[in-house]
């Protein structure tokens, strides 16, 4: 693709974009003085227009039926989460029985580690990313301590080489090989939240399994962004949140995946709750727990229907569009952003924008992380006043994520114009 940093090029691309109509399926923020350029779909996705209607349906049925809504609501609440299963399975490349929408992300990571981090005196270490998202770090440290180990000893953290920003997959392979008798679990973010690097989940799963370890991924930045094939890759477990690329409301419901090979294993340890109990016997209130033979067994509580209603509104759009089309536009749009940022960086002497996200499209999704050499927070504050909603990370990185479902090429062009304006002003 040959890009041009012009409005006419951007408009031409938008005209040709098969997903252009979906921009109108989302509500863009109105709080900025200038028209908004929303580039934080990796942090909180925009509200689907239909979300309100889907929630209202449940509020009305609650008013009309009270408790009977569990069975008589238009979408009965008892099996409400089942309405989300097939669509979720398609997004992450799983079989329907391998996924369930439930709880929140960190909760799910803990519940999955209860089942899949089973250290022994010889094999007790977890391979994870250095500087993982803080919640993941706390979850990993506390899991390790819970089993009586020291995080400093039990967590093997893989970092970029000196002077580099992203991790080389060959280094992941050699670390796994080096510690192959000690690693119980490989637990990595599919897309690193800071650099936007997409890890080679297929190979990591293979290497982990060769070493005799379990392999799980945190897909917070990957679900709805990357064309995932969890079942085909043989990943053991994964979890993600619904509110980033999946646009399902602040703190919205999470999804989890467990590979089919584990679903009938009665020996698995788990923290159980009644919603994980076999459906036929759930209301007999029996004393012994009989887990459902699907990922639903990891559910603890009855489902938060209002949050799930929003999730449905969003998943309906994903289902209509499909991940293939989303990823195709994603690469064009992110490529255009890369071109515009490079173009500006070359033309201005007072700044150097270093894109620390991989240049290789096979190693990234919709996010570019830009290291601002020669400029800092003042540039970020300037562009924010001009209507750009982006994300600032200390010491001087801006994370920008054009979401293919609702961002367009003109957004990227306007972002470039605002960047140039800031460079002239500062
Ligand atoms: C966003 C994000 C979280 C947030 O966890 P919650 O439990 O949803 O608050 C955790 N881990 C990663 C990698 C994230 O990107």
């Amino acid at each position: 693709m040959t890009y041009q940093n012009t409005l006419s090029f951007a408009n031409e691309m938008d005209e040709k974009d098969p997903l252009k109509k979906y921009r109108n399926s989302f509500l863009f923020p109105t709080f900025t003085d200038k028209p908004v350029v929303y580039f934080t779909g990796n942090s909180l996705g925009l509200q689907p227009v239909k979300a309100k209607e889907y929630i209202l349906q449940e509020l009305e049925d609650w008013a009309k039926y009270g408790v009977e809504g569990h069975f008589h609501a238009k979408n009965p609440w008892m099996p409400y989460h089942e309405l989300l299963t097939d669509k979720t399975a398609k997004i992450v490349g799983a079989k329907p029985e391998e996924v369930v929408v439930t709880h929140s992300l960190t909760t799910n990571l803990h519940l999955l580690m209860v089942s899949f981090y089973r250290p022994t005196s010889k094999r007790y270490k977890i391979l994870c990313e250095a500087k993982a998202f803080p919640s993941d770090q706390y979850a990993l440290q506390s899991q390790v301590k819970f089993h009586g180990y020291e995080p400093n000893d039990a967590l093997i953290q893989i970092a970029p080489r000196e002077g580099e920003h992203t991790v080389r997959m060959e280094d992941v392979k050699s670390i796994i090989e080096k510690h192959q008798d000690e690693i119980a679990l490989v637990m990595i973010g599919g897309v690193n939240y800071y650099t936007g690097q997409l890890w080679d989940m297929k190979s990591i799963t293979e290497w982990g399994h060769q070493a005799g370890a379990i392999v799980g991924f945190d897909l917070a930045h990957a679900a709805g962004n990357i064309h995932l094939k969890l079942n085909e890759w043989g990943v053991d477990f994964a979890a993600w949140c619904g509110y980033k690329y999946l646009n399902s409301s602040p703190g919205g419901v999470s999804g989890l995946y467990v590979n089919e090979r584990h679903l009938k294993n009665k020996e698995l340890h788990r923290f159980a709750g009644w919603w994980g109990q076999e459906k036929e016997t759930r209301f007999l209130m029996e004393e012994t727990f009989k887990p459902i033979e699907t990922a639903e067994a990891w559910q603890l509580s009855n489902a938060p229907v209002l949050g799930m209603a929003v999730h449905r509104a969003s998943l309906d759009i994903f289902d209509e569009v499909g991940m293939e089309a989303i990823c195709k536009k994603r690469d064009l749009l992110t490529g255009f952003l890369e071109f515009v940022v490079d173009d500006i960086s070359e033309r201005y002497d007072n700044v150097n924008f270093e894109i620390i996200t991989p240049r290789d499209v096979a190693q990234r999704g919709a996010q570019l992380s830009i290291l601002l050499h020669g400029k800092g927070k003042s540039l970020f504050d300037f562009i924010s006043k001009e209507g750009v909603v982006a994300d600032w990370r200390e010491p001087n990185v801006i994370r920008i994520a054009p979401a293919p479902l609702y961002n367009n090429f003109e957004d990227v062009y306007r972002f470039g114009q605002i960047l140039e304006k800031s460079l002239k002003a500062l």
Side-chain angles (χ1 to χ4, degrees):
M1 168 61 62
T2 326
Y3 295 110
Q4 290 163 23
N5 186 4
T6 62
L7 181 59
S8 59
F9 175 81
N11 289 343
E12 206 179 297
M13 290 298 286
D14 285 332
E15 205 41 54
K16 284 193 293 203
D17 172 15
L19 306 191
K20 65 182 167 197
K21 73 169 184 181
Y22 292 98
R23 188 171 171 89
N24 295 326
S25 303
F26 293 88
L27 299 172
F28 281 77
T30 53
F31 76 99
T32 49
D33 296 334
K34 309 265 174 76
V36 73
V37 176
Y38 195 80
F39 277 165
T40 39
N42 57 345
S43 188
L44 181 65
L46 291 181
Q47 182 181 145
V49 171
K50 289 245 166 109
K52 200 181 265 179
E53 184 186 316
Y54 280 49
I55 293 183
L56 276 177
Q57 177 72 48
E58 303 317 323
L59 288 177
E60 278 164 18
D61 282 351
W62 181 20
K64 185 168 170 193
Y65 294 108
V67 72
E68 294 298 321
H70 283 298
F71 307 100
H72 301 305
K74 182 172 174 220
N75 310 300
W77 304 327
M78 249 273 283
Y80 196 91
H81 68 276
E82 293 172 18
L83 296 171
L84 308 167
T85 304
D86 287 356
K87 290 170 186 166
T88 299
K90 276 196 223 161
I91 290 174
V92 299
K95 296 188 176 173
E97 61 268 29
E98 293 176 312
V99 298
V100 67
V101 171
T102 184
H103 316 130
S104 53
L105 171 57
T106 309
T107 309
N108 283 336
L109 287 177
H110 274 300
L111 293 173
L112 289 164
M113 281 194 274
V114 164
S115 299
F116 296 109
Y117 175 52
R118 302 299 308 164
T120 62
S121 57
K122 190 161 166 279
R123 194 184 269 285
Y124 62 92
K125 296 196 176 178
I126 302 180
L127 179 72
C128 60
E129 302 153 272
K131 297 204 193 132
F133 192 89
S135 197
D136 299 44
Q137 290 186 43
Y138 307 147
L140 290 164
Q141 290 162 8
S142 57
Q143 284 283 334
V144 160
K145 283 194 208 161
F146 179 74
H147 288 281
Y149 299 97
E150 273 303 313
N152 278 342
D153 171 43
L155 294 180
I156 306 169
Q157 305 198 31
I158 174 150
R161 292 186 189 181
E162 188 73 34
E164 298 183 6
H165 294 291
T166 50
V167 173
R168 298 191 193 195
M169 291 305 113
E170 70 217 62
D171 291 354
V172 180
K173 182 167 191 259
S174 58
I175 279 208
I176 292 176
E177 280 167 2
K178 183 169 158 214
H179 297 276
Q180 60 178 339
D181 299 326
E182 306 176 301
I183 299 179
L185 172 66
V186 177
M187 227 312 278
I188 291 175
V191 172
N192 182 274
Y193 83 100
Y194 182 72
T195 62
Q197 177 182 20
L198 165 62
W199 296 55
D200 179 355
M201 288 178 259
K202 179 172 186 259
S203 300
I204 293 173
T205 306
E206 212 176 284
W207 302 328
H209 285 168
Q210 272 161 13
I214 290 273
V215 181
F217 291 102
D218 180 333
L219 301 176
H221 282 262
N225 176 31
I226 305 297
H227 202 170
L228 299 163
K229 297 180 179 167
L230 297 181
N231 175 275
E232 188 185 311
W233 300 337
V235 173
D236 290 289
F237 71 89
W240 53 92
C241 50
Y243 51 82
K244 289 174 180 163
Y245 292 99
L246 294 177
N247 315 312
S248 300
S249 82
V253 282
S254 157
L256 67 81
Y257 152 93
V258 175
N259 187 277
E260 56 189 337
R261 80 179 77 93
H262 300 297
L263 296 176
K264 293 195 171 139
N265 180 358
K266 303 277 182 233
E267 309 298 312
L268 275 184
H269 288 254
R270 68 173 95 238
F271 289 165
W274 73 321
W275 233 246
Q277 167 78 4
E278 274 182 351
K279 292 170 196 178
E280 304 74 37
T281 53
R282 185 183 287 154
F283 287 93
L284 300 179
M285 306 297 188
E286 288 180 341
E287 271 181 40
T288 24
F289 179 73
K290 294 197 193 103
I292 306 172
E293 290 186 347
T294 72
E296 291 169 297
W298 276 266
Q299 297 175 113
L300 300 182
S301 308
N302 73 96
V305 165
L306 296 184
M308 290 192 166
V310 187
H311 201 34
R312 262 185 76 212
S314 177
L315 292 189
D316 281 356
I317 301 173
F318 276 88
D319 205 51
E320 200 175 292
V321 180
M323 284 312 297
E324 203 155 321
I326 290 174
C327 294
K328 209 164 161 189
K329 176 170 173 191
R330 175 201 69 195
D331 290 341
L332 286 172
L333 198 59
T334 312
F336 185 43
L337 176 64
E338 182 179 33
F339 178 84
V340 167
V341 169
D342 285 343
D343 175 52
I344 296 169
S345 185
E346 274 167 28
R347 283 192 288 107
Y348 286 79
D349 292 335
N350 57 345
V351 81
N352 172 18
F353 295 132
E354 182 186 1
I355 295 175
I356 62 174
T357 307
R359 296 274 178 180
D360 174 10
V361 291
Q363 294 179 60
R364 70 184 188 199
Q367 171 184 328
L368 292 184
S369 302
I370 305 170
L371 191 53
L372 307 174
H373 296 288
K375 290 279 176 261
K377 189 84 195 314
S378 60
L379 181 144
F380 179 77
D381 292 340
F382 186 99
I383 64 172
S384 300
K385 281 207 190 75
E386 294 288 323
V388 173
V389 182
D391 177 86
W392 172 261
R393 295 281 148 162
E394 296 296 340
N396 59 342
V397 165
I398 296 183
R399 297 187 309 155
I400 300 166
L405 272 183
Y406 49 76
N407 283 121
N408 64 15
F409 291 83
E410 188 174 335
D411 285 337
V412 172
Y413 173 76
R414 283 177 45 222
F415 171 75
Q417 292 298 296
I418 293 168
L419 258 190
E420 287 205 42
K421 193 170 168 188
S422 78
L423 293 178
K424 285 174 186 150
L426 293 173

